[in-house]
Amino acid sequence: MIIVMDLDHTAEQEQRVMQRLVELGLTGQKVQGTERAVIAGLGQVLQEHRDDISSLPGVNEVIRVSKPYKLSSRETHPADTVIDLPYGVKVGNGHPVFMAGPCAIETEDQLWAACKGVKAGGAHILRGGAFKPRTSPYSFQGLGVPGLKMLAQVGKELGMPVISELLSLRDLEPCIEYTDILQIGARSMQNFVLLEEAGKSGKPVMLKRGLAGTIEEWLMAAEYILSQNNGQLILCERGIRTFETATRNTLDLNAVALVKHLSHLPVIADPSHGTGKWYLVKPMSLASIAAGADGLMIEVHPNPDHALSDGAQSLTPANFGELAKEARALGAAIGRSFAEPPAAVHA
Ligand code: PEP
Ligand code: MN
């Protein structure tokens, strides 16, 4: 339920509401970014609970949230959520951003070449996988913590925030230490313990949609993070499994537009994993921006033919530059110009 307080309510009255929620076996969470003081009452909410809270002094209105997802819903939080990152980068403020870099961090030279290339193309956030979820245990699994350290160093020298995936609780601490955004990958969308712990870290999190996750399941997964009092959450549509095998996945642009409607959370599109083919990444990036995405996650490798993972869907830095130029022109044409990239700290 959503509890809207009177305009002139007192701090004691708000405290009393919080306390009563606990007495009813529920939890209360202040909803940020609304003009009125609003509290979300969470748990197994019954009609009698709503009646009880309605009668407390200082309470103006109690509204039932019809959707099973509560904190991620626009019913609870009408205004768009904006994520604040280092170097003044913001996600979700109406100005899309590029997250770009290699699928996997392979060597220092490869990482530097990819990251310098995407910075030159106007990227805002650097990506690079250190813990890789591979279908085969015999494929390259990522460099682990040494890879994360390299990414953190490159981010620092180029003056850009960095994002990397954690596969399990094992990876949580180093990812908290060396990244600015914790990426929860498609295969972990319903690893509820990992979601809760990532939420508790208080760091910004990006939650990718599962390979077979419905939109409702995805938003319920988001609740696990938000309910830990961590509102710094980004969603990422990365394609889903369908009957179609001509592309690696089916990038669900319905989901981008629909989730922007249902939720206040920023939505990033990942046409690299969404298509699996480098020559489809640019057209589907443009389509994603047109559909309302708050940004793009793009895999870039200095030498895609020799990539240790996802070479077929990786762009060269030059191709990324071309994509970025066209996406920027499209954004400007539809009133959602891309954000300014962070200022260079390293020539
Ligand atoms: C990735 O971003 O490299 C990745 C493994 O993505 P996903 O979880 O979407 O497959
Ligand atoms: Mn990849």
Side-chain angles (χ1 to χ4, degrees):
M1 71 182 121
I2 300 168
I3 304 152
V4 184
M5 302 300 290
D6 285 333
L7 279 175
D8 59 354
H9 76 283
T10 64
E12 288 73 37
Q13 288 171 337
E14 200 171 306
Q15 198 48 44
R16 179 72 192 108
V17 169
M18 288 292 197
Q19 194 187 325
R20 187 66 191 140
L21 287 169
V22 174
E23 288 162 10
L24 295 171
L26 304 171
T27 52
Q29 198 168 307
K30 289 259 321 206
V31 179
Q32 304 298 332
T34 41
E35 279 167 31
R36 303 286 294 258
V38 172
I39 296 166
L42 303 166
Q44 293 278 1
V45 180
L46 307 175
Q47 183 58 44
E48 63 204 65
H49 295 146
R50 286 192 287 273
D51 294 344
D52 187 304
I53 297 289
S54 303
S55 65
L56 293 178
V59 173
N60 186 276
E61 197 183 4
V62 173
I63 306 164
R64 182 168 178 265
V65 182
S66 57
K67 301 283 196 305
Y69 39 89
K70 310 292 181 190
L71 294 171
S72 57
S73 166
R74 271 210 198 267
E75 286 180 78
T76 306
H77 189 302
D80 283 346
T81 281
V82 178
I83 313 301
D84 272 307
L85 297 168
Y87 308 106
V89 175
K90 293 186 193 303
V91 181
N93 66 353
H95 298 288
V97 294
F98 296 109
M99 300 180 176
C103 175
I105 299 159
E106 299 169 5
T107 64
E108 275 199 50
D109 286 351
Q110 170 255 9
L111 183 64
W112 269 107
C115 292
K116 275 191 185 167
V118 303
K119 180 161 179 105
H124 305 80
I125 298 166
L126 298 175
R127 68 147 283 149
F131 303 105
K132 295 304 303 173
R134 303 307 300 277
T135 302
S136 165
Y138 311 118
S139 300
F140 178 58
Q141 303 285 307
L143 296 181
V145 177
L148 276 186
K149 289 185 182 171
M150 284 182 208
L151 182 65
Q153 185 62 26
V154 173
K156 203 166 128 197
E157 292 193 34
L158 295 180
M160 296 167 76
V162 302
I163 177 168
S164 197
E165 176 173 357
L166 57 158
L167 285 184
S168 74
L169 294 179
R170 176 201 66 184
D171 312 331
L172 183 61
E173 237 178 82
C175 285
I176 290 173
E177 183 169 354
Y178 295 113
T179 74
D180 301 299
I181 309 173
L182 305 176
Q183 176 173 325
I184 309 259
R187 291 154 193 81
S188 306
M189 185 194 87
Q190 287 188 315
N191 184 339
F192 300 120
V193 176
L194 188 62
L195 300 178
E196 278 182 352
E197 294 302 318
K200 279 185 201 156
S201 75
K203 297 226 23 147
V205 178
M206 185 170 89
L207 175 64
K208 287 190 150 196
R209 181 179 181 185
L211 279 73
T214 65
I215 289 172
E216 188 168 302
E217 286 165 342
W218 188 18
L219 291 174
M220 293 310 291
E223 293 291 311
Y224 275 88
I225 296 164
L226 297 170
S227 61
Q228 300 305 318
N229 253 313
N230 185 347
Q232 294 281 288
L233 178 60
I234 303 167
L235 299 172
C236 176
E237 162 60 42
R238 48 78 72 205
I240 48 172
R241 277 274 165 90
T242 67
F243 59 83
E244 183 55 76
T245 54
T247 49
R248 181 179 181 184
N249 289 295
T250 297
L251 185 68
D252 183 5
L253 293 185
N254 287 354
V256 173
L258 182 56
V259 172
K260 289 298 294 175
H261 175 79
L262 296 173
S263 175
H264 52 90
L265 296 171
V267 179
I268 298 290
D270 172 354
S272 303
H273 294 90
T275 65
K277 296 186 191 303
W278 72 269
Y279 53 88
L280 297 181
V281 173
K282 186 172 76 175
M284 296 316 290
S285 292
L286 299 175
S288 300
I289 293 302
D294 294 289
L296 298 166
M297 174 168 257
I298 309 286
E299 288 188 338
V300 176
H301 194 287
N303 193 351
D305 291 348
H306 289 89
L308 296 182
S309 69
D310 288 350
Q313 67 194 37
S314 297
L315 299 186
T316 60
N319 283 338
F320 172 75
E322 198 182 303
L323 178 160
K325 201 168 125 204
E326 290 189 29
R328 248 192 235 100
L330 173 71
I334 59 174
R336 285 191 302 115
S337 53
F338 272 69
E340 284 297 314
V345 295
H346 184 86

